[in-house]
Structure formats: C-alpha cells, structure tokens
C-alpha cells in the first residue's frame, strides 16, 4: 500500500513532496555540522547523499511506511528544511516524527508550525493514535517544540547514539490522539 506524500499549507509555509531541484539545498542543510550537531549521523560530505535521501523518500512512500515533506517559506519560496513521518504502522496506528531546519530558520516558529500541519494530517488522514519523536537530550530547542505540540516526555534512551565518537542520550516523546489539540494557538519557537 502506498502512502502519497501530502501537500500541506500553513499561513507561512508550503509543505510538499521533494523534487530534483531540492538536491542542492538539501545537501547544504545536511552538510552543516552546526545544524546536525545533535543528529544521529554525521554531516554529509558528498552531494550524492541528497539524491539517495530523496530516493529513500520515494521508497517509504511506495512501501507505505512514511512520508517526508520539503518545507518552503511562502514569502520567498526558500527551502528551509523538511519534516516527516516514518515507521508508519497502520495496524498499531502509530508513526515517528522527525524534522531538520536550516539554522537561519531557527527561532521563528517554523518547526512548530510545520510539525503541527504534519500532525494534523497524521491524525486526520492516517487516523493515527500515537506519534513518537526522539531528540538528543542536549537539544533543548527541539524538546521545547515537541512540548509545545503536546508531546509528553516518556523516558530516556541512555547512550543510544555515538556520532563522531560522542556518546549521547535521547529523550523519547509521545503524543496520543486524545492529547492532540489541533486548534491550539502556536507560539514561535523562541
């Protein structure tokens, strides 16, 4: 069963399937050591990784296991990041949320606004009961985004990642359908 990648809109953002034109800005995003300092894999060092990432996006769509959307700012059309649901399990009605945004987009509420739109789609269209997210315990800004969306911190995965020799812990967050408030007023990420 396929899971077509949606096109979603918010007041300031357009969320859409990836296209070949996204390869260069996607590589720039994922090659930034600053942006990926809390990510579970090192920054990309070869531009071909962007093509492989987008191929994986198509594969998870075709397999029906998830969907990732590119995020453009409406005001100037700039690609600012991506957000996605992976590990979609229709039997358990669950999936995992993830996102990455360019450092210049941080602090403007884009991550919260994007994830809110994806969650609305997940609960309304996919009929999910649970969405899970993980973040490095040092990434307080990402934890704040999840909490603003209604996620509850459920536990800590101790020393679950080793990236570039650094061992780190991750927090596990969960959001249940009954806790989801799709009409909540969102505040900027500041």
């Amino acid at each position: 069963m396929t899971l077509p990648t949606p096109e979603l809109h918010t007041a300031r953002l357009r969320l859409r399937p990836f296209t070949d034109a996204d390869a260069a800005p996607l590589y720039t995003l994922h090659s930034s050591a600053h942006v990926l300092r809390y990510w579970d894999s090192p920054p990309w060092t070869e531009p071909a990784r962007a093509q492989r990432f987008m191929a994986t996006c198509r594969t998870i769509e075709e397999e029906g296991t998830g969907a990732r959307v590119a995020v453009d700012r409406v005001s100037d059309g700039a690609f600012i990041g991506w957000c996605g649901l992976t590990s979609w399990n229709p039997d358990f009605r669950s999936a995992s949320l993830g996102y990455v945004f360019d450092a210049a987009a941080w602090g403007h509420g884009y991550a919260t606004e994007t994830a809110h739109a994806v969650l609305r789609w997940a609960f309304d269209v996919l009929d999910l009961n649970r969405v899970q997210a993980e973040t490095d315990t040092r990434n307080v800004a990402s934890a704040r985004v999840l909490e603003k969306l209604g996620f509850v911190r459920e536990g800590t995965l101790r020393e679950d990642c080793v990236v570039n020799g650094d061992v780190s812990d991750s927090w596990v967050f969960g959001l249940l359908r009954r806790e989801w408030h799709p009409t909540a007023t969102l505040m900027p990420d500041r």
Side-chain angles (χ1 to χ4, degrees):
M1 174 171 89
T2 63
L3 177 62
T5 300
E7 181 158 327
L8 307 169
H9 298 271
T10 71
R12 303 180 301 159
L13 304 170
R14 176 178 169 232
L15 289 60
R16 57 168 178 77
F18 281 93
T19 68
D20 289 341
D22 296 317
L26 183 62
Y27 174 72
T28 299
L29 176 69
H30 274 269
S31 63
S32 169
H34 179 65
V35 168
L36 295 186
R37 69 187 182 278
Y38 301 128
W39 199 247
D40 59 1
S41 60
W44 295 349
T45 57
E46 53 186 70
R49 288 290 304 269
Q51 291 296 335
R52 290 198 301 268
F53 178 91
M54 292 188 300
T56 300
C57 292
R58 289 187 292 277
T59 299
I60 65 174
E61 176 181 356
E62 291 164 5
E63 292 174 344
T65 59
R68 290 184 182 135
V69 291
V71 181
D72 295 332
R73 195 172 34 229
V74 171
S75 63
D76 60 2
F79 171 89
I80 61 169
W82 64 268
C83 182
L85 287 175
T86 57
S87 304
W88 180 45
N89 184 323
D91 294 329
F92 294 155
R93 296 175 43 220
S94 64
S96 294
L97 177 75
Y99 47 82
V100 178
F101 285 86
D102 183 81
W106 296 352
H108 298 282
Y110 296 134
T112 305
E113 189 173 330
T114 297
H116 187 270
V118 169
L119 289 168
R120 181 184 296 268
W121 174 73
F123 287 118
D124 292 351
V125 175
L126 302 182
D127 191 34
L128 292 187
N129 183 60
R130 175 184 168 80
V131 177
Q132 182 170 306
E134 294 178 15
T135 187
D136 188 297
T137 56
R138 298 168 296 175
N139 193 346
V140 176
S142 186
R144 211 170 38 243
V145 167
L146 294 170
E147 289 167 348
K148 280 191 276 188
L149 292 163
F151 280 81
V152 173
R153 190 170 62 184
E154 298 175 334
T156 303
L157 300 174
R158 298 177 311 136
E159 298 185 9
D160 71 317
C161 289
V162 180
V163 179
N164 292 329
D166 291 333
V167 178
S168 65
D169 300 339
S170 294
W171 283 322
V172 177
F173 288 83
L175 177 62
L176 305 178
R177 172 185 285 283
R178 68 176 182 265
E179 299 165 341
W180 168 240
H181 302 290
T183 58
T185 303
L186 299 176
M187 300 303 293
D189 288 344
R190 294 176 189 200

